[in-house]
């Protein structure tokens, strides 16, 4: 039986706070891209801790990615979490994409499970930004992507991140956990019950 771990808003808040200094010093993001739906709340919390006096808030943009698993019996059963589907993406025809060129971009998600979603997000964003750079004629400006996740599951990964991203340590997990089922507060339909379960579980 898979172990469930209940996480509270308080814990998420503190994990984001504890990670902010390293993100500011090492990643220096100009823009946050939140992967929906789990990355929305951590991205917004994190932004408050990344704001420096006298500077504007770091903008947040959003993309939506879903991992689908086929459970039908009429066809081949797909392995869980192997197919990434876009539910929301940046508008490639607008200034939205050209504004990413030459920026330090922080991708935020709640959990790095199989790494499939993160691999897809980085690969597709890098490809789209490179297309936009060529179309804009902005020369060789480098767009640098980094990743922040609240939790990393310590398990073999199906997805892979660019070698340069790993070597340059542009990946940060606030906390590494075992291969457990993490129950996030924004998924709860009864937040009081969720918090009680979180309080009663072993430390």
């Amino acid at each position: 039986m898979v172990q469930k771990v209940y996480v509270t808003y308080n814990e998420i808040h503190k994990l984001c706070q504890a990670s902010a200094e390293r993100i500011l010093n090492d990643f220096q993001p100009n823009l946050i891209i939140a992967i929906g739906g789990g990355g929305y709340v951590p991205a917004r919390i994190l932004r408050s801790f990344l704001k420096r006096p006298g500077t504007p808030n770091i903008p947040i943009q959003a993309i939506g990615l879903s991992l689908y698993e086929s459970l039908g019996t009429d066809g081949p059963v797909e392995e869980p979490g192997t197919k990434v589907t876009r539910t929301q993406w940046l508008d490639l025809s607008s200034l939205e994409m050209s504004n990413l060129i030459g920026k330090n971009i922080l991708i935020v998600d709640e959990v790095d499970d199989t790494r499939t979603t993160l691999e897809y997000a980085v690969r597709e964003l890098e490809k789209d930004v490179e297309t936009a750079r060529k179309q804009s004629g902005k020369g060789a400006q480098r767009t640098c992507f980094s990743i922040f996740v609240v939790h990393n599951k310590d398990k073999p990964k199906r997805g892979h991140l660019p070698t340069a991203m790993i070597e340059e340590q542009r990946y940060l997990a606030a906390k590494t956990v075992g291969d457990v089922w993490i129950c996030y507060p924004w998924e709860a339909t009864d937040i009081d019950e969720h918090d009680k379960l979180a309080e009663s579980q072993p430390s």
Side-chain angles (χ1 to χ4, degrees):
M1 185 176 177
V2 179
Q3 179 191 355
K4 286 187 177 182
V5 175
Y6 291 85
V7 180
T8 66
Y9 280 113
N10 240 12
E11 290 175 81
I12 302 292
H13 199 95
K14 289 175 180 177
L15 287 170
C16 289
Q17 183 178 16
S19 304
E21 185 174 354
R22 188 192 155 189
I23 291 170
L24 271 174
N25 293 337
D26 295 355
F27 302 164
Q28 300 179 357
N30 315 110
L31 178 72
I32 296 170
I33 294 182
I35 299 179
Y40 295 155
V41 175
R44 178 57 191 89
I45 293 172
L46 190 62
R47 185 174 77 164
S48 295
F49 294 115
L50 296 181
K51 190 178 187 310
R52 288 176 164 144
T55 63
N57 278 314
I58 297 172
I60 299 175
Q61 295 190 19
I63 58 175
L65 298 174
S66 292
L67 285 175
Y68 285 96
E69 174 187 1
S70 175
L71 298 177
T73 55
D74 295 331
V77 177
E78 184 183 354
E79 285 186 61
T82 57
K83 181 183 177 185
V84 181
T85 300
R86 294 187 190 190
T87 58
Q88 178 181 342
W89 202 253
L90 305 178
D91 183 357
L92 304 184
S93 63
S94 72
L95 288 174
E96 196 173 55
M97 186 56 71
S98 64
N99 284 341
L100 304 186
I101 300 168
K103 297 290 198 318
N104 293 329
I105 300 171
L106 181 67
I107 299 170
V108 176
D109 207 356
E110 88 277 41
V111 63
D112 180 0
D113 190 337
T114 63
R115 198 162 283 175
T116 309
T117 302
L118 289 172
E119 177 189 46
Y120 181 94
V122 173
R123 183 183 68 239
E124 295 299 303
L125 285 168
E126 284 184 339
K127 183 174 70 177
D128 288 348
V129 168
E130 178 59 17
T131 299
R133 186 191 66 78
K134 289 177 179 176
Q135 291 174 349
S136 70
K138 288 190 174 180
Q141 296 184 44
R142 185 192 182 202
T143 302
C144 188
F145 288 94
S146 303
I147 289 174
F148 170 73
V149 293
V150 180
H151 295 104
N152 171 48
K153 292 188 182 182
D154 187 11
K155 60 186 283 188
K157 307 294 188 183
R158 289 196 188 106
H160 302 280
L161 298 175
T163 301
M165 177 177 280
I166 301 300
E167 289 178 349
E168 296 170 13
Q169 299 184 338
R170 290 186 277 118
Y171 171 94
L172 174 62
K175 186 175 184 180
T176 296
V177 298
D179 190 11
V180 296
W181 182 352
I182 305 173
C183 301
Y184 288 98
W186 48 82
E187 297 167 347
T189 53
D190 184 337
I191 193 63
D192 293 325
E193 177 66 16
H194 178 95
D195 285 350
K196 285 177 185 174
L197 289 167
E199 189 176 351
S200 64
Q201 68 192 359
S203 324

